[in-house]
Amino acid sequence: MNVTVRGRSQHFRTVTFDRAQNAVLLIEQRLLPHEFKIVATPDFRATAAAITDMIVRGAGAIGATAAYGLAQGALAFRGRDPKKFSAHVETVYQVLKNARPTAVDPVNAMNDVRRHMSPGQTVAERQFLALAAAEEFAREDVQHCEEIGRHGAKLIRNGMKILTHCNAGWLAFVDIGTATAPMYAAQEQGKQFHVFCGETRPRSQGATLTAWEFAQQKISHQIIADNAAGHLMQRGEIDLVIVGSDRTLGRTGEVTNKIGTYTKAVLAARHKIPFYVAIPLSTIDWNLKRGFDIPIEERNESEVLGAWGVIDNSKFKIQNSKLKQRAYVRVANPTSGARNPGFDVTPAELITGVITPAGIFKPQELWKQRSKLGFGGQQSVRLRNLT
Ligand code: MRU
């Protein structure tokens, strides 16, 4: 997507790879919307830490980062012994897999990379194949988002008011995004609509990232407090909900997404508002049989007890200090603790449809449509199967 910083517009991808430095290049999402900066992770452990610390976040973006991180780790191996190389790659895989537990994209992405590496006869060949497969995953992520946009734009009519939650925009993928893809495609078609971005406490991805994306893309939008969604629905001010997902179960149609998604789905059902989930194929988990078994990340309580933001020192006339400083402020009662589950699971019956690169399906139909949706196949096979 094009980013305009200090009046200059340039195309960026959320995640790229620098072969010369053997580094993954990431947009530092924790600084947005106040500062736009690209950072390089010098080795696979730093890449895993960037996922854990949410320098990069969002299912597809951490999928691509893990794929590049696996290639980065493989490329850093010195030696020719295939057994030692395989053991090293296994370590890299485990470190990246454990960086964040809920999203399935990193695991699917790294499994693809490993599958593509295996025909290599030598360490050097496998290293080459690893990076080629990671590049392919990133390329395919963008293609899937384009296809989602093509299918999903049909749901958006002139004058609609749409609610989205968290950030399933281009910052959450390599480019374009999933929940936002239909909106960007509808905008290109000249449709007029307005989007409410749920602020998404505790980390505020809606208020910081989605709102920044929409401002960059000149999409009419407003941020709402998470608790305002029900009120707006009751007053007829929301016509459509589109969210992303970190893991969607192919067998049951249950959708894991940022905490608060389930609440919005219940509200949408109560008010008979269509509720759609947009996903690339890498977000489908074909193995798990029930949503209860999805590992839900529990994050640090400090996220709930306070908030990160920017202090504008120019207002306080503080001499010799950086004008804008990122700072954490404690909001909650100082002696209280907090629970902080990062995700929740929305049952299939609350979901109107799942927008995929292969079309829009009822969540309960995913299993029946599995051959179209890449079940058991490699990424490249999945691509050829797209309709
Ligand atoms: O914790 P995050 O910011 O990585 O979570 C991302 C989400 O859960 C978003 O809701 C998004 O919709 C799914 S990722 C495309």
Side-chain angles (χ1 to χ4, degrees), residues 54 57-60 100 165-168 172-173 178 205 243-246 257-258 343:
M54 294 178 69
R57 32 68 50 208
R100 284 192 81 186
H165 185 56
C166 193
N167 174 264
F173 290 86
T178 53
Q205 291 96 324
V243 299
S245 170
D246 301 88
N257 195 44
K258 179 54 54 194
F343 300 91

Side-chain angles (χ1 to χ4, degrees), residues 82-121:
K83 275 203 181 126
K84 285 189 183 152
F85 177 70
S86 295
H88 168 75
V89 169
E90 178 60 25
T91 306
V92 178
Y93 178 92
Q94 291 302 334
V95 169
L96 287 159
K97 182 177 175 219
N98 294 329
R100 284 192 81 186
T102 301
V104 77
D105 300 62
V107 173
N108 283 339
M110 289 194 294
N111 288 345
D112 268 352
V113 172
R114 289 219 292 202
R115 239 189 328 263
H116 280 88
M117 282 167 79
S118 60
Q121 301 288 311

Side-chain angles (χ1 to χ4, degrees), residues 17 64 66-71 109 113 116 129-139:
F17 192 74
Y68 281 130
L70 192 67
V113 172
H116 280 88
L129 290 170
L131 183 54
E135 294 285 13
E136 175 59 14
F137 181 88
R139 194 196 64 73

